[in-house]
């Protein structure tokens, strides 16, 4: 199979390496010619993805920023084979699916929204690896929720990645949940590390500090776009968090041990509830 990949960052680069390692022909486009050259030298890709060879791709993976993925598909849809399967791998789904499903329908190929739940706080091709997705969950947003034949097709197409499980949802539900599970932790970590006390953490920090600050190291341009595209859902989570934080602050300010203990108990019990 010939696989076309848009974007050779951490996700796209890891996809390229996984498919190349499985013996597939991988073609890629990235605006950085240096990365393209390095990816070819490393064996992750066999050549550049162009309008001349797009039609030969049985699988196309869109691993750029959301707006870049949409624009690329708009510009190149007429060159994609009707037999091709196109998946995006971005962190939001509603805007991408809203604009890409009609494009696929117009030109006759199949588009499915996707979000691999794997990654790193490091970005870029140099941190990509063929086993990044081994055992990881993969979220799918198909145009038709209960099309079992399509879901089986997608799973087979993604087999070289080694995903451990697949979840099927709507674009709206995906973006609502991902605001809580992914975007909020990045906001909280990035804000938390701005305390002036952080400059004195060495020798005083252990696992909890490392866990909380790991994703403060992020790609500002990418996450800003994701946050803004999903702002309503993220604002809901932020407002909820701020409301809860104010309750802890009030208990501390009033030296209310009973209230503070109850708040902590509620948080512990919710953790037990959601984790089963």
């Amino acid at each position: 199979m010939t696989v076309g990949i848009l974007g050779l960052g951490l996700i796209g680069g890891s996809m390229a390496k996984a498919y190349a390692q499985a013996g597939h022909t991988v073609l890629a486009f990235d605006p950085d010619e240096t990365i393209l050259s390095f990816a070819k030298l490393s064996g992750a890709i066999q050549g550049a993805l162009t309008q001349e060879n797009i039609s030969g791709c049985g699988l196309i993976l869109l691993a750029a920023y959301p707006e870049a993925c949409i624009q690329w598909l708009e510009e190149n849809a007429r060159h994609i084979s009707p037999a091709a399967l196109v998946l995006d791998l971005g962190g939001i789904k509603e805007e991408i699916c809203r604009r890409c499903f009609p494009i696929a329908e117009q030109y006759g190929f199949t588009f499915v929204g996707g979000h691999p739940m794997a990654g790193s706080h490091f970005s870029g091709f140099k941190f990509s690896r063929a086993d990044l997705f081994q055992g990881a969950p993969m979220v799918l947003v198909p145009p038709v929720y209960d099309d079992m034949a399509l879901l089986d097709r997608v799973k087979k197409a993604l087999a070289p990645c080694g995903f451990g499980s697949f979840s099927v949802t709507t674009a709206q539900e995906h973006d609502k949940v991902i605001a809580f599970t992914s975007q909020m932790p990045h906001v909280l970590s990035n804000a938390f590390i701005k305390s002036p006390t952080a400059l004195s953490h060495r020798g005083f920090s252990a696992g909890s500090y490392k866990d909380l600050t790991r994703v403060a190291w992020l790609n500002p341009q990418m996450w800003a776009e994701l946050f803004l595209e999903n702002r309503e859902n993220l604002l809901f989570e932020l407002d909820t968090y701020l409301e809860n934080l104010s309750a802890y602050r009030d208990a501390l300010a009033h030296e209310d041990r009973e209230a503070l203990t109850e708040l902590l108990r509620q948080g512990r019990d919710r953790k037990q509830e959601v984790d089963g």
Side-chain angles (χ1 to χ4, degrees):
M1 177 171 64
T2 298
V3 181
I5 299 179
L6 172 67
L8 287 174
L10 176 68
I11 300 299
S14 295
M15 285 284 179
K17 291 177 180 179
Y19 281 95
Q21 185 172 280
H24 297 284
T25 299
V26 181
L27 306 174
F29 173 81
D30 192 281
D32 190 330
E33 291 288 342
T34 302
I35 291 178
L36 273 177
S37 298
F38 184 75
K40 188 173 182 180
L41 284 172
S42 69
I45 68 172
Q46 282 69 58
L49 180 66
T50 67
Q51 289 188 343
E52 287 69 35
N53 59 28
I54 289 175
S55 62
C57 296
L59 174 66
I60 297 175
L61 302 169
L62 308 181
Y65 293 0
E67 189 60 33
C69 289
I70 296 168
Q71 290 181 0
W72 185 91
L73 196 63
E74 289 173 341
E75 294 169 1
N76 294 280
R78 66 184 183 279
H79 303 292
I80 298 173
S81 167
L85 174 64
V86 181
L87 285 91
D88 91 279
L89 305 172
I92 59 153
K93 294 275 81 75
E94 191 166 1
E95 181 68 7
I96 289 176
C97 291
R98 182 183 69 81
R99 293 170 62 182
C100 291
F101 282 151
I103 297 173
E105 185 175 1
Q106 178 182 352
Y107 289 95
F109 58 85
T110 301
F111 177 86
V112 175
H115 189 179
M117 303 309 297
S120 167
H121 53 293
F122 296 112
S123 60
F125 181 81
K126 67 179 179 179
F127 294 106
S128 63
R129 62 180 199 271
D131 65 350
L132 180 66
F133 310 107
Q134 286 291 327
M138 177 66 170
V139 181
L140 300 174
V141 179
V144 179
Y145 187 81
D146 58 352
D147 188 338
M148 301 310 296
L150 173 57
L151 296 177
D152 185 61
R153 179 187 176 191
V154 173
K155 291 179 182 179
K156 288 179 179 177
L158 292 173
C161 304
F163 287 106
S165 63
F166 291 86
S167 299
V168 179
T169 187
T170 64
Q172 293 79 8
E173 184 64 17
H174 169 276
D175 288 2
K176 176 183 177 181
V177 176
I178 216 68
F180 173 75
T181 62
S182 178
Q183 295 181 349
M184 268 294 286
H186 283 80
V187 171
L188 302 182
S189 181
N190 197 263
F192 174 78
I193 201 65
K194 293 175 181 176
S195 168
T197 314
L199 298 172
S200 305
H201 85 88
R202 296 187 186 280
F204 294 85
S205 56
S208 56
Y209 170 84
K210 293 178 181 178
D211 290 344
L212 186 55
T213 60
R214 181 179 65 85
V215 293
W217 186 280
L218 46 68
N219 180 327
Q221 291 78 19
M222 180 187 77
W223 283 101
E225 180 171 338
L226 292 173
F227 291 164
L228 289 170
E229 289 286 358
N230 200 27
R231 60 188 177 276
E232 293 302 325
N233 289 316
L234 186 53
L235 281 170
F236 170 80
E237 296 299 339
L238 272 170
D239 289 343
T240 301
Y241 188 74
L242 290 170
E243 181 180 347
N244 285 322
L245 274 184
S246 68
Y248 289 87
R249 190 189 187 288
D250 288 346
L252 282 167
H254 294 97
E255 299 184 52
D256 190 337
R257 181 186 295 269
E258 183 178 347
L260 183 58
T261 301
E262 177 61 17
L263 288 168
L264 294 170
R265 184 194 64 76
Q266 290 172 357
R268 182 202 62 189
D269 290 352
R270 174 54 67 88
K271 172 65 174 174
Q272 183 177 16
E273 176 187 357
V274 300
D275 287 355

